[in-house]
Amino acid sequence: MNRLPESERSDTWLTYGEQKHHVHLSHAYTTLGDTRRARESQQRALELSAPTSTMTRTLLHIDAAACAPHDGDSEQACRRTHRLAHVCDCCGPWPGSVGVRPGVTLPVPMSTTKPA
């Protein structure tokens, strides 16, 4: 990132800033199952994202939920997916899975109650 001129590192639609870089790294590392690096990129991207960056933050939370099964914690994956389903309204409360991001399929919990 440091080799790019400052004008190309700013956070705009036409540039490739550090925040975008970490969002992309998060997804790549998540897909590869490298959850340690994925979480590092998720954390950095969240630090660089505005609180109003709803889509960016949601994509990062999807990646975080997808890391849990890689780490063997399917219960945590279901809890996070359930929260995301209510936030995004992207799936119903039926069993199965939902493809929410290219290369990422998350389990859909059977419960219809919202998590605490």
Side-chain angles (χ1 to χ4, degrees):
M1 292 300 302
N2 292 333
R3 292 198 282 176
L4 287 174
E6 181 64 36
S7 62
E8 293 180 29
R9 284 187 279 154
S10 60
D11 191 16
T12 70
W13 284 102
L14 304 175
T15 59
Y16 190 74
E18 185 182 359
Q19 184 255 12
K20 281 183 198 166
H21 182 66
H22 282 288
V23 171
H24 293 163
L25 281 177
S26 167
H27 182 60
Y29 287 136
T30 297
T31 302
L32 293 171
D34 189 341
T35 58
R36 182 187 59 79
R37 285 183 170 164
R39 287 193 178 93
E40 288 171 0
S41 285
Q42 290 159 17
Q43 182 60 40
R44 184 65 180 140
L46 286 169
E47 290 168 3
L48 296 168
S49 297
T52 56
S53 296
T54 307
M55 183 169 52
T56 297
R57 291 177 169 277
T58 300
L59 289 172
L60 292 166
H61 289 299
I62 289 168
D63 285 349
C67 282
H70 286 293
D71 292 336
D73 192 349
S74 58
E75 186 177 320
Q76 177 69 1
C78 285
R79 277 195 302 273
R80 287 180 173 214
T81 303
H82 198 197
R83 282 188 204 112
L84 284 166
H86 287 286
V87 169
C88 303
D89 196 28
C90 63
C91 58
W94 51 86
S97 64
V98 58
V100 292
R101 189 166 183 185
V104 176
T105 302
L106 300 171
V108 176
M110 302 215 17
S111 171
T112 59
T113 59
K114 291 185 179 180

